Amino acid sequence: NAGVMQNPRHLVRRRGQEARLRCSPMKGHSHVYWYRQLPEEGLKFMVYLQKENIIDESGMPKERFSAEFPKEGPSILRIQQVVRGDSAAYFCASSPPSGTGPGTEAFFGQGTRLTVV
Amino acid sequence: AQSVTQLDSHVSVSEGTPVLLRCNYSSSYSPSLFWYVQHPNKGLQLLLKYTSAATLVKGINGFEAEFKKSETSFHLTKPSAHMSDAAEYFCVVSGSWGKLQFGAGTQVVVTP
C-alpha cells in the first residue's frame, strides 16, 4: 500500500508564474489536508478537502491560492502569480473516511519544496 | 480552540543519555495529542498518539509520552538517545474533524 504521494518533490518557479502541487492520498483515503511549512516554523493548516468538496479553507490565503480534490485524480494545490514569500515546503496528508474526529491519524507525504526565484 | 506550545526550540543530548521534549497544550475539551518526527528533507512520521485511553503512551523507536491533565502537558521521552534520533519533533493537537494544530517544533541534536 503506497503512502501519500506528492509531486514534484522540488519545484522552482519565477515570480509571477503558477505553481501546481499534486497529492495522491493513500488508497482508500477520501480526506486530504494541505499544510505549509515556512523555514524555521511548524506546519500551518491550509485546507481540508473531501472528494469534490472543500470542507475547511480557513488557512488558505485569500488570493492566489486554490485547492481542489476532484472525483478522479489527485488533489491539486494551485498558487497563481507566485511571490518569494510563497517559498516553503507544502505537505499533504490523508486520512480514511471511517473517522475524522479527534484522534484520527493523518498520514503525510514527503512534501513539495517550492522555491520562488 | 486548541493549541500546543513546545517549550524548547533546540535540545542537545549525548548519545546514550535520556531525551526529554516538553509540550503543553490548551484545549476546550479532552484533546487528542500526537508527536510527529521529521528527518531532514523528509515527510512526517507519527511517533505516538494519545486518545483518552492510557495516559502513558508508547510509540515507535523507544519513545513514550505521558499525558498529564493537571499540568496540561504531553512530554516526550526516550531513555537512551541514538544518533538516528537527530531530527525535528512536533507536538500536535487534533481538532474536531481531525484538523491538526502543530507546535513550532523542537530540533534535537545528538552528539557522540
Side-chain angles (χ1 to χ4, degrees):
Chain A
N1 187 8
V4 177
M5 304 300 292
Q6 289 188 250
N7 66 81
R9 292 289 307 281
H10 301 273
L11 181 62
V12 179
R13 284 288 177 265
R14 295 187 184 278
R15 281 178 295 170
Q17 290 185 320
E18 178 180 287
R20 280 184 178 242
L21 289 62
R22 294 174 184 78
C23 170
S24 295
M26 287 182 70
K27 186 176 181 180
H29 287 192
S30 58
H31 301 262
V32 166
Y33 315 82
W34 285 93
Y35 291 81
R36 176 165 63 175
Q37 184 179 31
L38 294 169
E40 307 298 323
E41 293 187 17
L43 279 74
K44 304 293 185 187
F45 167 78
M46 298 182 75
V47 63
Y48 163 41
L49 310 106
Q50 296 179 17
K51 286 283 187 181
E52 300 183 281
N53 284 303
I54 297 175
I55 307 302
D56 183 337
E57 57 181 348
S58 58
M60 288 279 272
K62 298 300 181 192
E63 298 177 347
R64 303 189 296 108
F65 284 71
S66 62
E68 62 176 7
F69 188 19
K71 187 176 181 180
E72 301 291 338
S75 175
I76 306 289
L77 179 67
R78 182 183 179 204
I79 311 172
Q80 295 178 291
Q81 299 175 316
V82 296
V83 300
R84 288 229 172 103
D86 297 333
S87 295
Y90 292 83
F91 288 93
C92 171
S94 72
S95 65
S98 57
T100 53
T104 300
E105 179 181 346
F107 296 82
F108 282 83
Q110 292 197 306
T112 293
R113 281 155 182 82
L114 172 65
T115 302
V116 180
V117 298
Chain B
Q2 296 79 39
S3 66
V4 290
T5 302
Q6 292 184 243
L7 301 177
D8 309 288
S9 60
H10 289 81
V11 167
S12 182
V13 297
S14 298
E15 190 176 19
T17 65
V19 182
L20 169 65
L21 306 183
R22 299 180 295 165
C23 173
N24 287 348
Y25 70 90
S26 173
S27 178
S28 52
Y29 50 82
S30 183
S32 291
L33 294 157
F34 306 78
W35 276 98
Y36 280 86
V37 61
Q38 183 181 27
H39 288 92
N41 297 315
K42 300 283 187 183
L44 290 100
Q45 181 181 23
L46 180 69
L47 282 177
L48 51 80
K49 67 177 181 180
Y50 167 77
T51 55
S52 74
T55 55
L56 183 62
V57 182
K58 293 188 183 299
I60 62 171
N61 301 335
F63 284 95
E64 63 181 37
E66 186 172 9
F67 174 76
K68 291 187 177 180
K69 186 176 181 179
S70 60
E71 299 176 9
T72 62
S73 69
F74 189 56
H75 301 336
L76 181 71
T77 60
K78 182 172 180 178
S80 176
H82 190 272
M83 295 299 290
S84 61
D85 294 328
E88 187 146 25
Y89 292 77
F90 294 98
C91 182
V92 182
V93 64
S94 175
S96 57
W97 48 252
K99 176 179 178 179
L100 302 179
Q101 191 78 28
F102 281 74
T106 298
Q107 187 71 45
V108 172
V109 174
V110 182
T111 55

